[in-house]
């Protein structure tokens, strides 16, 4: 049985894309299989999804758009990704609920409600949080931390392309060593780019662990970490 009862999985938008598709149905199915492997261990799963595969506010601002409008577009992109994940969940017989950080009408999804979310999670449903924090000038990493606090998650699983945090860039240095654990203070002091400083600071204050891991390379990694294997880097107090 996993030491974690409830996890918040942070997926970047790029984790859902392929070279040909902005959201790739085959990749989505793979993501849902990974989610299922956590549910099979009686672990409750909340998800916060990014939107970087579609829009990022900072990039739109660099190209000349108003930053706040760009961020609104970025947050709407996360809603699209959340709908794509929930569609794939349904197809694969996983019950899922999408919630948004700002109200969206038309039966598209519900607004974030922490009590409803916790109820749904305890019933074994997956809750997919979209629109980040609901405000511009934040990232979905901060949104993930916020939702983790709201649903009393034990840990934020941050899926990245690298299998943890290293003492130097593993792409440049073949002798780079992966940290098994790291303190929040050290992560902030070293200005590690895996999560923004506000996300680290919020997790530190609320005593929520962050596990940085590589999700898609091996579909069993999340499940094996939940069973106790040390396959990523845990940041904690
Ligand atoms: N965003 C925002 N507020 C939030 C979360 C996200 O304004 O609380 C916007 C921001 O423009 C960001 C975009 O949504 O660039 C997509 O999110 P992010 O870049 O974090 O996605 P990811 O890199 O995880 O795919």
């Amino acid at each position: 049985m996993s030491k974690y009862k409830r996890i918040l999985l942070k997926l970047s938008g790029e984790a859902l894309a392929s070279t040909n598709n902005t959201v790739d149905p085959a990749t989505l199915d793979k993501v849902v299989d990974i989610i299922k492997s956590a549910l099979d261990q009686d672990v409750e799963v909340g998800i916060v999804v990014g939107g970087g595969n579609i829009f990022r506010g900072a990039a739109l601002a660099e190209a000349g758009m108003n930053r706040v409008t760009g961020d609104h577009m970025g947050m709407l992109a996360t809603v699209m990704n959340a709908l794509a994940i929930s569609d794939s969940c349904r197809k694969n017989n996983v019950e899922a609920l999408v919630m948004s950080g700002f109200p969206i009408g038309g039966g598209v999804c519900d607004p974030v409600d922490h009590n409803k979310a916790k109820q749904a999670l305890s019933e074994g449903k997956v809750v997919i949080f979209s629109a980040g924090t609901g405000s511009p000038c934040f990232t979905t990493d901060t949104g993930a931390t916020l939702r983790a606090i709201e649903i009393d998650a034990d840990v934020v699983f941050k899926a990245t392309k690298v299998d943890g945090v290293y003492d130097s860039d593993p792409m440049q240095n073949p002798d780079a060593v992966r940290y098994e654990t790291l303190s929040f203070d050290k992560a902030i002091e070293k200005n590690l780019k895996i999560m923004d400083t506000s996300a680290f600071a919020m997790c530190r204050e609320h005593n929520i662990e962050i596990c940085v891991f590589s999700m898609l390379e091996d579909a069993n990694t999340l499940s094996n970490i939940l069973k106790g294997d040390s396959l990523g880097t845990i940041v904690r107090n």
Side-chain angles (χ1 to χ4, degrees):
M1 196 169 146
S2 177
K3 69 169 178 164
Y4 299 121
K5 187 169 167 6
R6 183 175 286 167
I7 67 170
L8 191 295
L9 176 62
K10 158 71 210 310
L11 299 175
S12 71
E14 273 155 9
L16 313 177
S18 68
T19 31
N20 299 325
N21 292 309
T22 312
V23 282
D24 178 52
T27 310
L28 284 166
D29 286 346
K30 194 170 169 188
V31 167
V32 173
D33 271 347
I34 294 168
I35 295 166
K36 260 188 178 169
S37 73
L39 295 173
D40 287 344
Q41 291 186 51
D42 285 331
V43 173
E44 299 172 11
V45 184
I47 295 175
V48 166
V49 63
N53 54 326
I54 305 173
F55 288 124
R56 279 205 176 95
L60 293 172
E62 231 167 79
M65 279 190 68
N66 175 277
R67 173 63 195 259
V68 175
T69 304
D71 280 344
H72 288 159
M73 292 170 69
M75 284 188 279
L76 286 167
T78 73
V79 178
M80 293 184 204
N81 284 334
L83 294 174
I85 299 171
S86 78
D87 183 72
S88 185
C89 282
R90 223 153 281 140
K91 228 173 51 192
N92 289 288
N93 300 314
V94 173
E95 276 196 86
L97 203 68
V98 178
M99 293 188 174
S100 164
F102 47 58
I104 296 178
V108 175
C109 60
D110 296 327
V112 169
D113 178 321
H114 67 110
N115 284 320
K116 272 192 198 161
K118 284 191 278 192
Q119 179 63 35
L121 290 165
S122 66
E123 290 165 4
K125 294 174 190 158
V126 173
V127 180
I128 308 161
F129 297 99
S130 64
T133 61
S135 297
C137 304
F138 287 99
T139 64
T140 42
D141 281 354
T142 305
T145 308
L146 175 64
R147 301 307 170 213
I149 294 165
E150 287 182 296
I151 63 168
D152 297 325
D154 305 310
V155 56
V156 174
F157 272 94
K158 158 103 179 174
T160 68
K161 285 183 188 142
V162 186
D163 64 343
V165 183
Y166 283 76
D167 62 353
S168 57
D169 185 349
M171 304 290 181
Q172 312 281 341
N173 177 10
D175 298 323
V177 177
R178 175 171 60 87
Y179 293 106
E180 285 200 11
T181 59
L182 197 66
S183 70
F184 287 115
D185 290 343
K186 199 159 179 188
I188 293 169
E189 179 199 305
K190 282 179 161 285
N191 198 19
L192 296 173
K193 297 290 177 212
I194 28 156
M195 212 68 175
D196 49 60
T197 310
S198 55
F200 279 135
M202 284 164 75
C203 282
R204 179 176 60 182
E205 190 179 334
H206 292 268
N207 211 15
I208 296 175
E209 291 182 6
I210 297 172
C211 178
V212 181
F213 76 115
S214 159
M215 190 176 79
L216 289 170
E217 206 178 316
D218 176 351
N220 295 314
T221 303
L222 177 63
S223 160
N224 287 336
I225 295 175
L226 291 172
K227 284 177 189 148
D229 289 357
S230 172
L231 296 172
T233 298
I234 306 267
V235 190
R236 63 170 164 235
N237 278 322

